[in-house]
Structure formats: C-alpha cells, structure tokens
Amino acid sequence: MRLGSKGTPDEERAVKLLLAVGEESNPSSTVVSSNLRRAISTAAIGLADRFIATAVKNESSNKNKKKDDILLLPCLQEISRNPDALTILPPRGVAHPTWCDEDISGFIPQTSFGGMIDTKYHTGNKSVNSTGLIRLEQFCHDIFDNAKLPKDVIIATGHSLFFRSVFQVYLPRGYEHISKKKKLVNGGTVMVTLREATETGSGKKEYMIDSKSVVMVYGGFGKHTKG
C-alpha cells in the first residue's frame, strides 16, 4: 500500500516505519537482511526512498550520526539445501551492486552501494551443523539483543520459507493463520509484534508472535500450500 491510500491505521504506521517518514534524521527502525544477494537487493530497491531520504537528511546535517544502512544477519539465511540458498559474499566482504541495483532511480552513487551494506556480522555461509530452527532462535535472540540491535523496530528482508517457519514456530500452536500454510509472495510485507519471556529458574528465553499484531502491509500469502 501507499501512504494516503486509505489503509488502516496499522498499515499506515507500518509504511511510515518502513520509509522512516518524519524521522529521516534518526529512524526508529533498523533494516536487516539475509546474506543472500537477492535479499540484499530487495532491501535496497524496496526501501530506496527511505535510504535516499535519510542520506539527504544526514548530508544536510552537520551532526556526525551513524548512517542508515542494511545490516546483514547470517541467521536470516534461507532454510534450504539448494545451491541458491548459499551466499557468494565473502565473510565481512564488500557487497558490490548487481545489475538490478545499478539503476535504482534517485539512489546513491554506485560507488557507495557497498558502503551502505554493513557486513560486520556476516561470517560466511551457514555451518554444516546449522539448522533452520537454530537460525530462527538466533534471529529472535538478535532482535532482543540491545548491543546488536538497539532499536525497537526491526525491518527484516529475507526469504519466504524462512518467514513461513517463523509463523509456524512462534504463532500460538492452536492459532489458525494462513501464514502457517502459505508463503509470502515476492515482495510481500507483514508487520508483527514479537514478544520475549524469560523462564523462571532456568533463565531460558522463549519467543512468541502476538496473534493480534499480524498486519498485512503489501502482497499477501499465496504460494506453496503445505499439507
């Protein structure tokens, strides 16, 4: 949806957060991405208006603020054994623009593309001992890690199987929702509230999506019914 297109208040709020509307000088959100190139490109293209606006605002300001960028989180790497689920980006390497990143209208110069991709947490491909569930748990842990992600709103670009698994694991077990059966369409965008609880005694962290918080912002669920 677009701003002013008569969406619900929650949809309007989601779009404003995505584009950092009214907070260009200091967004209240952090953009994170899988380490696969298609996810990085999705973030750069889909949020181009945001990055243009925040770059212009920071340029016009004399304050030495941390720039708005795309932070790579290895835990978002797709859940699959297929070759296209492996990253070609070297650990902590520079992400160069691909053919689809070079002509983003009004975007920052091509020479700056690598500079807006923060690879400090990118350690390369998932290990052979890694599983989808391990990375799902790590993703949730990262969201609540104030040292890594200090802002309350996280905008994550990744993969449809990964996000379907997020809904299957963290929505309440008895709660029926299409997100548990179908994948997000390409470019699909959904907003949720993830909650963290600490188990008394063991101190173990548990995570759950608030079932009342799921807001479909763009696209929808429509691929690959499971079962």
Side-chain angles (χ1 to χ4, degrees):
M1 66 162 288
R2 296 179 181 273
L3 286 175
S5 62
K6 297 182 179 179
T8 68
D10 282 339
E11 290 170 344
E12 287 277 335
R13 175 174 173 266
V15 174
K16 287 181 179 179
L17 287 169
L18 285 166
L19 301 181
V21 175
E23 52 183 34
E24 292 86 354
S25 61
N26 187 24
S28 62
S29 57
T30 300
V31 180
V32 300
S33 172
S34 157
N35 52 14
L36 301 189
R37 282 313 308 255
R38 58 186 180 275
I40 298 171
S41 293
T42 296
I45 295 169
L47 300 175
D49 288 347
R50 171 200 175 104
F51 294 123
I52 293 166
T54 56
V56 169
K57 192 72 175 181
N58 285 339
E59 258 185 40
S60 64
S61 172
N62 292 323
K63 297 177 182 178
N64 191 20
K65 292 182 178 177
K66 182 182 182 300
K67 68 180 185 301
D68 192 27
D69 54 23
I70 301 170
L71 178 65
L72 301 193
L73 294 181
C75 56
L76 281 166
Q77 191 168 351
E78 179 62 303
I79 302 172
S80 174
R81 296 177 181 174
N82 294 337
D84 66 353
L86 299 177
T87 182
I88 59 174
L89 181 63
R92 298 183 179 85
V94 176
H96 299 285
T98 63
W99 63 271
C100 62
D101 304 315
E102 293 176 346
D103 298 316
I104 304 174
S105 179
F107 206 35
I108 56 177
Q110 293 178 25
T111 53
S112 302
F113 183 88
M116 68 173 290
I117 313 299
D118 188 341
T119 62
K120 64 174 172 284
Y121 297 125
H122 171 54
T123 53
N125 270 304
K126 54 195 175 187
S127 72
V128 293
N129 296 322
S130 178
T131 65
L133 185 57
I134 288 173
R135 294 198 299 284
L136 290 176
E137 285 287 291
Q138 184 62 50
F139 176 54
C140 292
H141 176 78
D142 286 351
I143 288 175
F144 290 94
D145 183 344
N146 289 328
K148 184 178 286 189
L149 298 172
K151 297 184 178 180
D152 290 337
V153 178
I154 307 301
I155 298 168
T157 59
H159 310 282
S160 57
L161 179 57
F162 184 96
F163 288 127
R164 187 179 70 181
S165 300
V166 167
F167 286 110
Q168 289 172 340
V169 173
Y170 299 111
L171 273 173
R173 183 170 297 180
Y175 181 71
E176 293 292 328
H177 194 272
I178 190 174
S179 62
K180 291 183 174 183
K181 295 183 178 180
K182 293 192 175 184
K183 297 179 182 179
L184 275 168
V185 299
N186 289 340
T189 308
V190 63
M191 179 172 70
V192 305
T193 297
L194 183 69
R195 302 194 182 281
E196 180 187 62
T198 304
E199 192 175 276
T200 303
S202 69
K204 181 182 177 183
K205 302 294 186 181
E206 299 287 352
Y207 304 97
M208 184 183 75
I209 294 173
D210 183 344
S211 60
K212 296 180 180 179
S213 72
V214 182
V215 177
M216 196 68 244
V217 181
Y218 177 79
F221 300 93
K223 296 195 302 180
H224 308 299
T225 300
K226 183 178 181 180

PDB file of all heavy atoms in Angstrom, residues 137-152:
ATOM      1  N   GLU A 137      15.847 -19.298  16.143  1.00  0.00           N
ATOM      2  CA  GLU A 137      16.069 -18.901  17.531  1.00  0.00           C
ATOM      3  C   GLU A 137      17.111 -17.785  17.618  1.00  0.00           C
ATOM      4  O   GLU A 137      16.972 -16.853  18.416  1.00  0.00           O
ATOM      5  CB  GLU A 137      16.519 -20.106  18.357  1.00  0.00           C
ATOM      6  CG  GLU A 137      15.406 -21.084  18.678  1.00  0.00           C
ATOM      7  CD  GLU A 137      14.451 -20.535  19.737  1.00  0.00           C
ATOM      8  OE1 GLU A 137      14.855 -20.392  20.905  1.00  0.00           O
ATOM      9  OE2 GLU A 137      13.296 -20.234  19.379  1.00  0.00           O
ATOM     10  N   GLN A 138      18.147 -17.868  16.794  1.00  0.00           N
ATOM     11  CA  GLN A 138      19.178 -16.834  16.794  1.00  0.00           C
ATOM     12  C   GLN A 138      18.601 -15.496  16.325  1.00  0.00           C
ATOM     13  O   GLN A 138      18.939 -14.439  16.871  1.00  0.00           O
ATOM     14  CB  GLN A 138      20.354 -17.239  15.901  1.00  0.00           C
ATOM     15  CG  GLN A 138      21.516 -16.248  15.913  1.00  0.00           C
ATOM     16  CD  GLN A 138      22.142 -16.092  17.286  1.00  0.00           C
ATOM     17  OE1 GLN A 138      22.473 -17.081  17.944  1.00  0.00           O
ATOM     18  NE2 GLN A 138      22.323 -14.846  17.738  1.00  0.00           N
ATOM     19  N   PHE A 139      17.733 -15.556  15.317  1.00  0.00           N
ATOM     20  CA  PHE A 139      17.088 -14.339  14.819  1.00  0.00           C
ATOM     21  C   PHE A 139      16.288 -13.666  15.931  1.00  0.00           C
ATOM     22  O   PHE A 139      16.405 -12.457  16.154  1.00  0.00           O
ATOM     23  CB  PHE A 139      16.187 -14.679  13.631  1.00  0.00           C
ATOM     24  CG  PHE A 139      15.393 -13.515  13.098  1.00  0.00           C
ATOM     25  CD1 PHE A 139      16.019 -12.334  12.731  1.00  0.00           C
ATOM     26  CD2 PHE A 139      14.018 -13.610  12.954  1.00  0.00           C
ATOM     27  CE1 PHE A 139      15.292 -11.252  12.232  1.00  0.00           C
ATOM     28  CE2 PHE A 139      13.279 -12.540  12.457  1.00  0.00           C
ATOM     29  CZ  PHE A 139      13.916 -11.361  12.101  1.00  0.00           C
ATOM     30  N   CYS A 140      15.494 -14.444  16.647  1.00  0.00           N
ATOM     31  CA  CYS A 140      14.709 -13.893  17.755  1.00  0.00           C
ATOM     32  C   CYS A 140      15.633 -13.323  18.830  1.00  0.00           C
ATOM     33  O   CYS A 140      15.377 -12.239  19.377  1.00  0.00           O
ATOM     34  CB  CYS A 140      13.808 -14.961  18.357  1.00  0.00           C
ATOM     35  SG  CYS A 140      12.485 -15.518  17.269  1.00  0.00           S
ATOM     36  N   HIS A 141      16.698 -14.057  19.139  1.00  0.00           N
ATOM     37  CA  HIS A 141      17.658 -13.581  20.137  1.00  0.00           C
ATOM     38  C   HIS A 141      18.282 -12.259  19.702  1.00  0.00           C
ATOM     39  O   HIS A 141      18.425 -11.322  20.509  1.00  0.00           O
ATOM     40  CB  HIS A 141      18.747 -14.625  20.361  1.00  0.00           C
ATOM     41  CG  HIS A 141      19.832 -14.193  21.301  1.00  0.00           C
ATOM     42  ND1 HIS A 141      19.680 -14.183  22.671  1.00  0.00           N
ATOM     43  CD2 HIS A 141      21.086 -13.711  21.059  1.00  0.00           C
ATOM     44  CE1 HIS A 141      20.783 -13.728  23.237  1.00  0.00           C
ATOM     45  NE2 HIS A 141      21.647 -13.443  22.290  1.00  0.00           N
ATOM     46  N   ASP A 142      18.655 -12.160  18.423  1.00  0.00           N
ATOM     47  CA  ASP A 142      19.268 -10.935  17.903  1.00  0.00           C
ATOM     48  C   ASP A 142      18.325  -9.743  18.027  1.00  0.00           C
ATOM     49  O   ASP A 142      18.757  -8.618  18.329  1.00  0.00           O
ATOM     50  CB  ASP A 142      19.668 -11.117  16.436  1.00  0.00           C
ATOM     51  CG  ASP A 142      20.903 -11.985  16.258  1.00  0.00           C
ATOM     52  OD1 ASP A 142      21.556 -12.314  17.275  1.00  0.00           O
ATOM     53  OD2 ASP A 142      21.210 -12.344  15.106  1.00  0.00           O
ATOM     54  N   ILE A 143      17.043  -9.968  17.783  1.00  0.00           N
ATOM     55  CA  ILE A 143      16.064  -8.882  17.850  1.00  0.00           C
ATOM     56  C   ILE A 143      16.054  -8.237  19.230  1.00  0.00           C
ATOM     57  O   ILE A 143      15.899  -7.020  19.360  1.00  0.00           O
ATOM     58  CB  ILE A 143      14.660  -9.399  17.479  1.00  0.00           C
ATOM     59  CG1 ILE A 143      14.587  -9.692  15.968  1.00  0.00           C
ATOM     60  CG2 ILE A 143      13.569  -8.391  17.866  1.00  0.00           C
ATOM     61  CD1 ILE A 143      13.287 -10.315  15.527  1.00  0.00           C
ATOM     62  N   PHE A 144      16.240  -9.055  20.263  1.00  0.00           N
ATOM     63  CA  PHE A 144      16.205  -8.539  21.635  1.00  0.00           C
ATOM     64  C   PHE A 144      17.603  -8.277  22.210  1.00  0.00           C
ATOM     65  O   PHE A 144      17.734  -8.005  23.403  1.00  0.00           O
ATOM     66  CB  PHE A 144      15.431  -9.506  22.526  1.00  0.00           C
ATOM     67  CG  PHE A 144      13.957  -9.535  22.235  1.00  0.00           C
ATOM     68  CD1 PHE A 144      13.431 -10.480  21.360  1.00  0.00           C
ATOM     69  CD2 PHE A 144      13.099  -8.591  22.798  1.00  0.00           C
ATOM     70  CE1 PHE A 144      12.071 -10.504  21.074  1.00  0.00           C
ATOM     71  CE2 PHE A 144      11.745  -8.608  22.514  1.00  0.00           C
ATOM     72  CZ  PHE A 144      11.224  -9.558  21.649  1.00  0.00           C
ATOM     73  N   ASP A 145      18.613  -8.354  21.361  1.00  0.00           N
ATOM     74  CA  ASP A 145      19.983  -8.063  21.778  1.00  0.00           C
ATOM     75  C   ASP A 145      20.234  -6.563  21.583  1.00  0.00           C
ATOM     76  O   ASP A 145      20.489  -6.100  20.474  1.00  0.00           O
ATOM     77  CB  ASP A 145      20.966  -8.887  20.945  1.00  0.00           C
ATOM     78  CG  ASP A 145      22.418  -8.701  21.379  1.00  0.00           C
ATOM     79  OD1 ASP A 145      22.709  -7.728  22.102  1.00  0.00           O
ATOM     80  OD2 ASP A 145      23.260  -9.527  20.974  1.00  0.00           O
ATOM     81  N   ASN A 146      20.165  -5.805  22.674  1.00  0.00           N
ATOM     82  CA  ASN A 146      20.298  -4.348  22.576  1.00  0.00           C
ATOM     83  C   ASN A 146      21.678  -3.898  22.121  1.00  0.00           C
ATOM     84  O   ASN A 146      21.826  -2.786  21.614  1.00  0.00           O
ATOM     85  CB  ASN A 146      19.950  -3.692  23.912  1.00  0.00           C
ATOM     86  CG  ASN A 146      18.467  -3.774  24.226  1.00  0.00           C
ATOM     87  OD1 ASN A 146      17.633  -3.752  23.324  1.00  0.00           O
ATOM     88  ND2 ASN A 146      18.131  -3.880  25.508  1.00  0.00           N
ATOM     89  N   ALA A 147      22.672  -4.741  22.312  1.00  0.00           N
ATOM     90  CA  ALA A 147      24.011  -4.384  21.853  1.00  0.00           C
ATOM     91  C   ALA A 147      24.096  -4.482  20.332  1.00  0.00           C
ATOM     92  O   ALA A 147      24.770  -3.671  19.679  1.00  0.00           O
ATOM     93  CB  ALA A 147      25.051  -5.294  22.497  1.00  0.00           C
ATOM     94  N   LYS A 148      23.399  -5.447  19.769  1.00  0.00           N
ATOM     95  CA  LYS A 148      23.428  -5.652  18.321  1.00  0.00           C
ATOM     96  C   LYS A 148      22.359  -4.831  17.609  1.00  0.00           C
ATOM     97  O   LYS A 148      22.621  -4.206  16.568  1.00  0.00           O
ATOM     98  CB  LYS A 148      23.243  -7.145  18.010  1.00  0.00           C
ATOM     99  CG  LYS A 148      23.357  -7.498  16.536  1.00  0.00           C
ATOM    100  CD  LYS A 148      23.206  -8.996  16.310  1.00  0.00           C
ATOM    101  CE  LYS A 148      24.436  -9.762  16.745  1.00  0.00           C
ATOM    102  NZ  LYS A 148      24.388 -11.193  16.343  1.00  0.00           N
ATOM    103  N   LEU A 149      21.150  -4.832  18.153  1.00  0.00           N
ATOM    104  CA  LEU A 149      20.020  -4.120  17.552  1.00  0.00           C
ATOM    105  C   LEU A 149      19.331  -3.284  18.630  1.00  0.00           C
ATOM    106  O   LEU A 149      18.352  -3.715  19.234  1.00  0.00           O
ATOM    107  CB  LEU A 149      19.034  -5.122  16.934  1.00  0.00           C
ATOM    108  CG  LEU A 149      19.565  -6.001  15.794  1.00  0.00           C
ATOM    109  CD1 LEU A 149      18.534  -7.063  15.419  1.00  0.00           C
ATOM    110  CD2 LEU A 149      19.925  -5.161  14.580  1.00  0.00           C
ATOM    111  N   PRO A 150      19.821  -2.095  18.883  1.00  0.00           N
ATOM    112  CA  PRO A 150      19.293  -1.287  19.986  1.00  0.00           C
ATOM    113  C   PRO A 150      17.915  -0.679  19.749  1.00  0.00           C
ATOM    114  O   PRO A 150      17.255  -0.269  20.709  1.00  0.00           O
ATOM    115  CB  PRO A 150      20.350  -0.182  20.140  1.00  0.00           C
ATOM    116  CG  PRO A 150      20.992  -0.076  18.800  1.00  0.00           C
ATOM    117  CD  PRO A 150      20.988  -1.459  18.245  1.00  0.00           C
ATOM    118  N   LYS A 151      17.457  -0.631  18.495  1.00  0.00           N
ATOM    119  CA  LYS A 151      16.172  -0.001  18.214  1.00  0.00           C
ATOM    120  C   LYS A 151      15.024  -1.003  18.342  1.00  0.00           C
ATOM    121  O   LYS A 151      15.202  -2.208  18.144  1.00  0.00           O
ATOM    122  CB  LYS A 151      16.185   0.639  16.829  1.00  0.00           C
ATOM    123  CG  LYS A 151      17.212   1.769  16.725  1.00  0.00           C
ATOM    124  CD  LYS A 151      17.184   2.475  15.397  1.00  0.00           C
ATOM    125  CE  LYS A 151      18.191   3.624  15.379  1.00  0.00           C
ATOM    126  NZ  LYS A 151      18.190   4.350  14.093  1.00  0.00           N
ATOM    127  N   ASP A 152      13.840  -0.479  18.672  1.00  0.00           N
ATOM    128  CA  ASP A 152      12.684  -1.337  18.953  1.00  0.00           C
ATOM    129  C   ASP A 152      12.055  -1.937  17.700  1.00  0.00           C
ATOM    130  O   ASP A 152      11.395  -2.974  17.768  1.00  0.00           O
ATOM    131  CB  ASP A 152      11.605  -0.548  19.713  1.00  0.00           C
ATOM    132  CG  ASP A 152      12.019  -0.224  21.138  1.00  0.00           C
ATOM    133  OD1 ASP A 152      12.883  -0.949  21.675  1.00  0.00           O
ATOM    134  OD2 ASP A 152      11.494   0.741  21.707  1.00  0.00           O
TER     135      ASP A 152
END
